[in-house]
Amino acid sequence: MKAQEIHEKADQVRDVLRYLNQFNQAIIVIHIDDELIDSPVFSSHIRDIAMLHAAGLKVVIVPGSKKRIDTILQNEGISWTTHNHVRIVPESALNLVKMATFDVSNTVMTHLAQEQLTAVIGNWVRARGLGVIDGVDYCTAGDVDKINLGSLETILEQKHIPIFPCIGWSGQGKPYNISSVRLATEIASMLKAQKLFFLTAGKSVTADSFSVPSSVILTDDGSIPSLDLDEASYVLEQTGSDEHTEETLSLIRQCVAACQNGVERAHIVNGETNGSLLTEIFSDNGSGTMVYTSNYGGIRSMTAEDIPSVLSLMQPFVEKGNLLPRTRPQLLATWQDYIVYEVDGGIKACAALHQYDSDPSQAEIAAVAVSEKFSSLGIGPKMINYLIDRARDRGLKNVFILTTKTSDWFEQFGFVPADIEGIPEERKSHWTPERNSKVYTLRF
């Protein structure tokens, strides 16, 4: 196996171990679209959930029941209406709705039992009827009033998996049908869960269907890996609602609501892809779209503790001849010149702005390295622009770079060819004809 392949595999393992440590004993709430239950990948998702449970995560499952309720009501010849995405059925049909929701929950429980897991279906939800709103009688439709957190926490401590049918009961024992998506959001919020997942039947958030601000990082295929709350609000405000986007916009609204009420992160994941749940949890790029409050990632100043990670990040670029080798003593002497791009505690990019005593009016942008997995996400340009702004703030007259292979890339920022004689003497003394690095400068 080549050294580069070993390096990449080691990075993948490091990512998994880092996330296992971060989410050990974390509570995660998973909403499963019931269209997935009959799909070929459903058993794989259950197996993945079993692996999460074995790894120490506390799992709560809220299965959707829309498809099953539709089928049962149609078979019985019972019609229904919807208003504001809420199903309205007569009280005479509520027992059929209850049967459908518990049928789906039992199916999930059976699959978990096949993985040697104990699941519990319970009536932990107190509900209240929606009543009449703007003249519309919502009949048997309700909303969450309260969750029996004591019982739920006991079940989680016993290492069982709670399953929530989308039915709640009033204080007088009257049942109401609740939106399973809304129920998942409320449960996650009341538990202050670390993560809320919407495992969907094919839904995803992409730039070709949704309006996104310029700050959002996109993958090569136009997918949106993450949105902070401001960015998610922008998507909701600027994207037109139609048949194609409305259900996904509704999920984004629930993600925002969950994060505003104490959930650290909420995710929309395409459940039609095998392994998408694990990938979303244990890899930096994930497989879906994450809405988050803070502490996910971004540019920050480097610390001395980052040096081992930065050296590891640089090594593939040194081997390719794109970067000059650095040593730990060198970084210890200059770490305050560096910035890094951090994602969940992992260093994914670095760059430095070096000033020299012989000419402090200019500075060198150097040691630019971006992890291969993040190279297509626009992080490199963000790092360069950050350092350019830092140089401007310091009142410098220009910045320069020395490169052998990336001149085209730097030209997009306005860098132009320059003479080696124009750079500070300390830096010029390290230039060699053998490497023959080209000088490019950007004047302010």
Side-chain angles (χ1 to χ4, degrees):
M1 186 180 294
K2 295 180 180 179
Q4 178 63 23
E5 293 175 347
I6 294 175
H7 179 84
E8 291 173 356
K9 288 182 180 295
D11 273 348
Q12 292 171 359
V13 174
R14 292 185 186 111
D15 286 344
V16 171
L17 293 175
R18 175 161 46 86
Y19 280 113
L20 278 174
N21 180 64
Q22 181 176 350
F23 294 121
N24 183 38
Q25 296 301 305
I27 296 174
I28 63 171
V29 177
I30 304 174
H31 176 273
I32 304 175
D33 191 318
D34 66 327
E35 287 190 24
L36 294 173
I37 293 177
D38 296 325
S39 75
V41 297
F42 182 65
S43 294
S44 294
H45 286 312
I46 292 295
R47 189 172 301 114
D48 290 345
I49 289 172
M51 293 174 67
L52 293 174
H53 184 268
L57 284 77
K58 298 177 180 179
V59 180
V60 178
I61 296 178
V62 182
S65 301
K66 180 179 183 300
K67 180 181 176 182
R68 184 62 177 149
I69 294 172
D70 287 351
T71 300
I72 288 181
L73 293 180
Q74 287 169 355
N75 289 344
E76 295 296 323
I78 296 173
S79 61
W80 68 91
T81 60
T82 60
H83 189 76
N84 289 334
H85 310 291
V86 176
R87 184 197 301 268
I88 302 173
V89 299
E91 284 198 31
S92 59
L94 187 56
N95 283 335
L96 294 174
V97 173
K98 286 168 56 182
M99 181 176 69
T101 61
F102 278 87
D103 184 33
V104 172
S105 294
N106 276 306
T107 299
V108 174
M109 184 171 66
T110 299
H111 278 77
L112 289 170
Q114 292 170 355
E115 298 295 331
Q116 312 304 312
L117 294 177
T118 301
V120 181
I121 301 172
N123 58 344
W124 305 292
V125 181
R126 177 174 291 182
R128 60 181 181 275
L130 291 179
V132 179
I133 303 175
D134 295 331
V136 177
D137 187 351
Y138 284 86
C139 298
T140 59
D143 200 2
V144 178
D145 185 30
K146 185 178 179 181
I147 304 289
N148 188 340
L149 293 180
S151 297
L152 186 55
E153 288 168 351
T154 298
I155 290 167
L156 291 171
E157 289 302 321
Q158 292 173 342
K159 301 187 184 304
H160 301 330
I161 296 180
I163 301 175
F164 279 78
C166 50
I167 294 289
W169 284 262
S170 71
Q172 292 72 42
K174 183 177 180 179
Y176 289 99
N177 182 206
I178 302 170
S179 160
S180 60
V181 169
R182 170 75 176 152
L183 177 59
T185 302
E186 286 295 309
I187 293 167
S189 299
M190 292 182 184
L191 284 172
K192 304 301 179 189
Q194 280 75 18
K195 285 183 173 287
L196 166 63
F197 289 92
F198 292 108
L199 199 58
T200 74
K203 296 179 181 63
S204 58
V205 187
T206 60
D208 61 351
S209 299
F210 297 86
S211 300
V212 297
S214 59
S215 59
V216 170
I217 290 175
L218 303 178
T219 63
D220 284 340
D221 65 358
S223 297
I224 302 171
S226 61
L227 298 164
D228 64 26
L229 287 180
D230 288 339
E231 292 165 342
S233 296
Y234 180 98
V235 172
L236 292 173
E237 292 168 2
Q238 300 298 322
T239 303
S241 176
D242 56 31
E243 184 178 352
H244 177 65
T245 62
E246 179 50 38
E247 285 191 40
T248 307
L249 286 172
S250 178
L251 293 178
I252 296 174
R253 290 188 193 98
Q254 294 303 314
C255 289
V256 169
C259 289
Q260 289 174 335
N261 286 287
V263 177
E264 292 181 9
R265 301 173 185 182
H267 306 253
I268 299 171
V269 181
N270 182 0
E272 292 181 347
T273 303
N274 193 349
S276 57
L277 185 61
L278 291 184
T279 306
E280 181 70 7
I281 296 178
F282 293 123
S283 66
D284 292 321
N285 284 341
S287 59
T289 297
M290 176 179 71
V291 177
Y292 65 97
T293 51
S294 60
N295 300 323
Y296 168 59
I299 296 173
R300 64 168 174 80
S301 296
M302 179 176 162
T303 68
E305 288 74 21
D306 296 324
I307 289 176
S309 297
V310 169
L311 287 171
S312 178
L313 174 68
M314 289 179 175
Q315 189 56 36
F317 299 93
V318 173
E319 292 172 356
K320 294 176 183 177
N322 293 346
L323 281 184
L324 288 171
R326 269 86 171 171
T327 65
R328 180 179 177 85
Q330 286 175 324
L331 289 186
L332 277 171
T334 59
W335 61 265
Q336 291 176 322
D337 294 350
Y338 281 78
I339 59 172
V340 295
Y341 194 97
E342 181 185 38
V343 176
D344 271 338
I347 304 301
K348 302 305 174 183
C350 67
L353 185 69
H354 299 307
Q355 284 183 264
Y356 299 94
D357 292 338
S358 62
D359 187 356
S361 68
Q362 58 178 318
E364 177 190 13
I365 292 178
V368 181
V370 181
S371 169
E372 184 69 25
K373 292 186 296 183
F374 286 77
S375 61
S376 63
L377 301 184
I379 291 173
K382 287 180 181 291
M383 302 283 280
I384 299 302
N385 285 322
Y386 188 95
L387 291 180
I388 290 172
D389 289 341
R390 176 175 285 186
R392 283 199 181 100
D393 290 343
R394 292 179 181 177
L396 304 186
K397 69 179 184 181
N398 72 282
V399 290
F400 66 92
I401 59 102
L402 280 86
T403 182
T404 58
K405 298 182 179 180
T406 57
S407 57
D408 290 342
W409 189 73
F410 279 100
E411 284 176 349
Q412 68 180 307
F413 299 96
F415 284 82
V416 296
D419 194 284
I420 188 69
E421 297 301 322
I423 68 174
E425 197 63 38
E426 297 102 311
R427 183 63 182 92
K428 186 167 58 176
S429 66
H430 293 290
W431 182 89
T432 63
E434 292 78 18
R435 185 168 174 83
N436 196 27
S437 298
K438 305 300 181 184
V439 180
Y440 283 75
T441 187
L442 174 66
R443 299 189 181 278
F444 302 139

